[in-house]
Amino acid sequence: MNYFDGSYQLKVKDFFFKILSGSAQGILIGVLPSAVLKYILKLFITPGVTNWATDLNAILVLFTSFIPLLIGVCVALQFNMKPLDVGTLGIAVAAASGATKWATAPKGFVNPVTGVASKVPATVYMTSGAGDVINAMIVAAIGVLVIWLIAKYLWGFGAVAIILTPIVVGGGVGLIGKAIAPYVGDVTTWIGNIVETFTTLQPVPMAMLIAMAFSIIIITPVSTVGIALAISLAGLGSGAAGVGVIATTVVLLINSIKVNKKGTSVAIFLGAMKGMMPSVFAKPATMISFLITAAISGIPVALFNVQGTPTSAGFGWIGMVTPIQSVAKDAADAQWITNYVNPMISIVVFFVVPIIVGFVVDFILTKYLKLYKPSDFAQEI
């Protein structure tokens, strides 16, 4: 087997798309399990009671927190790295992402899980959320370059690789990633601020612009859920964000069904839109169909006052979270939602309209304007 080493010819386009493909795979592995079963498991979970459903839910949520680790591993596999490099790159990306944070707890700190007090000061780790995916991708890219340089000019550290690689790549690259994380995080903040300005507009233009924004965000490394939570996007804005995600899903499905294996299309329906990043980035004109479909589909959201919460804004059809949230009354959501719609309206807004609009827009852009073709979406997830 020819592993990644100093003889590998690093080319910009190949490097970029392997980073993108590996990142997309890592994101999908982390996001889908919890998203698909979220509402099903909720039926078996009793607050304050630990049972198989709470344990399974916790395990699946852990997938989300391990997204940075998965990105590092999947990127390494894209370059056919050795097991040592795969594991090391995964740890480096995970350490730099922000999903796992740590601090020194003083003597006497009581572990909330075991209930045991520490006898000496100790480092405590806490894992929550997916961290900054953009930073994870950047750190993965830096890690690949460092591993390549070590292989090319230092013979891969030779016999002491098992010691030096984790220290230099895992520790060193991890530290670099942690240092740049605050600055990379400003990108997400900036995007969130732009989306937040849309909420000050009248209902129809607001819904259209938010839907358009999320139709693009869902196909980038940026987390739609992260943006929604960062700006507490709720009510009408949340409903519009959900339909924007659906608009992109529809267009991707229309084309994927024509050129990809069934598994890829099923994955897209279940939430694997980010997995199509390489195809979309290779043909940016495809985004025009996402934007137009989202803009038109956002109008009924405003007309019927379809609402949601910050946690449902970035899902769309993933786990059917957005459609269910618009009709399922819950006292805990009262601070976010002031109007619930009946199931028929939800079906029209989140299924009928986006699907019809998606087919029409895609037909016009492919058959008459010829901006792109179905084969541009050919990809395996």
Side-chain angles (χ1 to χ4, degrees):
M1 182 180 290
N2 295 319
Y3 284 118
F4 179 79
D5 58 23
S7 65
Y8 186 90
Q9 296 297 312
L10 275 182
K11 298 179 181 178
V12 176
K13 185 176 180 180
D14 175 69
F15 176 76
F16 175 76
F17 279 103
K18 283 186 175 179
I19 296 294
L20 206 57
S21 296
S23 299
Q25 291 170 354
I27 292 169
L28 296 180
I29 295 170
V31 167
L32 290 183
S34 178
V36 170
L37 290 182
K38 177 180 179 180
Y39 277 96
I40 296 176
L41 289 177
K42 198 172 183 180
L43 299 173
F44 303 96
I45 294 176
T46 302
V49 177
T50 300
N51 60 13
W52 68 269
T54 56
D55 286 340
L56 177 56
N57 184 64
I59 292 170
L60 297 182
V61 168
L62 200 57
F63 271 76
T64 303
S65 295
F66 283 170
I67 284 177
L69 173 66
L70 292 167
I71 287 176
V73 169
C74 290
V75 166
L77 292 176
Q78 282 285 320
F79 287 92
N80 198 33
M81 291 186 181
K82 299 175 183 177
L84 173 62
D85 295 330
V86 173
T88 301
L89 186 59
I91 294 296
V93 176
S97 71
T100 298
K101 296 180 174 62
W102 55 87
T104 300
K107 176 183 178 181
F109 171 79
V110 178
N111 187 306
V113 177
T114 64
V116 177
S118 62
K119 296 180 180 180
V120 295
T123 301
V124 176
Y125 297 84
M126 180 174 288
T127 296
S128 179
D132 191 325
V133 176
I134 297 177
N135 197 54
M137 293 177 66
I138 292 174
V139 175
I142 294 173
V144 171
L145 289 173
V146 170
I147 290 172
W148 180 75
L149 289 171
I150 290 173
K152 188 173 181 66
Y153 298 105
L154 297 176
W155 303 280
F157 289 142
V160 292
I162 191 67
I163 299 173
L164 293 184
T165 299
I167 294 173
V168 175
V169 179
V173 174
L175 277 176
I176 293 173
K178 194 173 185 299
I180 65 175
Y183 306 101
V184 177
D186 289 341
V187 175
T188 300
T189 301
W190 174 70
I191 295 173
N193 290 337
I194 292 176
V195 174
E196 193 171 22
T197 61
F198 299 156
T199 61
T200 63
L201 304 175
Q202 292 298 311
V204 172
M206 178 188 79
M208 294 175 69
L209 288 172
I210 290 179
M212 292 171 70
F214 274 74
S215 73
I216 298 300
I217 294 173
I218 192 61
I219 205 69
T220 70
V222 181
S223 168
T224 52
V225 176
I227 292 292
L229 290 174
I231 63 176
S232 296
L233 186 63
L236 185 61
S238 175
V243 89
V245 172
I246 291 169
T248 295
T249 306
V250 169
V251 176
L252 288 175
L253 280 174
I254 290 171
N255 290 278
S256 177
I257 290 172
K258 298 175 183 177
V259 297
N260 293 325
K261 295 180 180 178
K262 291 181 180 179
T264 296
S265 299
V266 171
I268 292 172
F269 176 75
L270 293 176
M273 288 76 74
K274 288 188 184 298
M276 297 298 289
M277 284 192 295
S279 295
V280 173
F281 282 22
K283 191 75 172 183
T286 56
M287 296 185 191
I288 296 175
S289 57
F290 306 156
L291 291 168
I292 297 174
T293 302
I296 298 173
S297 299
I299 297 174
V301 175
L303 297 180
F304 292 108
N305 193 20
V306 181
Q307 301 185 15
T309 67
T311 54
S312 69
F315 282 95
W317 284 348
I318 305 173
M320 293 299 137
V321 173
T322 302
I324 291 174
Q325 188 70 74
S326 68
V327 302
K329 294 183 179 181
D330 189 330
D333 298 328
Q335 62 174 316
W336 307 114
I337 302 177
T338 59
N339 179 64
Y340 290 92
V341 296
N342 65 57
M344 286 306 300
I345 290 179
S346 180
I347 290 173
V348 169
V349 171
F350 293 118
F351 293 92
V352 178
V353 173
I355 291 174
I356 293 175
V357 173
F359 269 104
V360 173
V361 170
D362 182 74
F363 182 79
I364 293 173
L365 295 186
T366 56
K367 299 299 182 181
Y368 291 99
L369 299 183
K370 301 187 183 301
L371 291 182
Y372 60 89
K373 52 186 179 296
S375 59
D376 291 326
F377 294 89
Q379 184 180 321
E380 286 192 27
I381 294 180

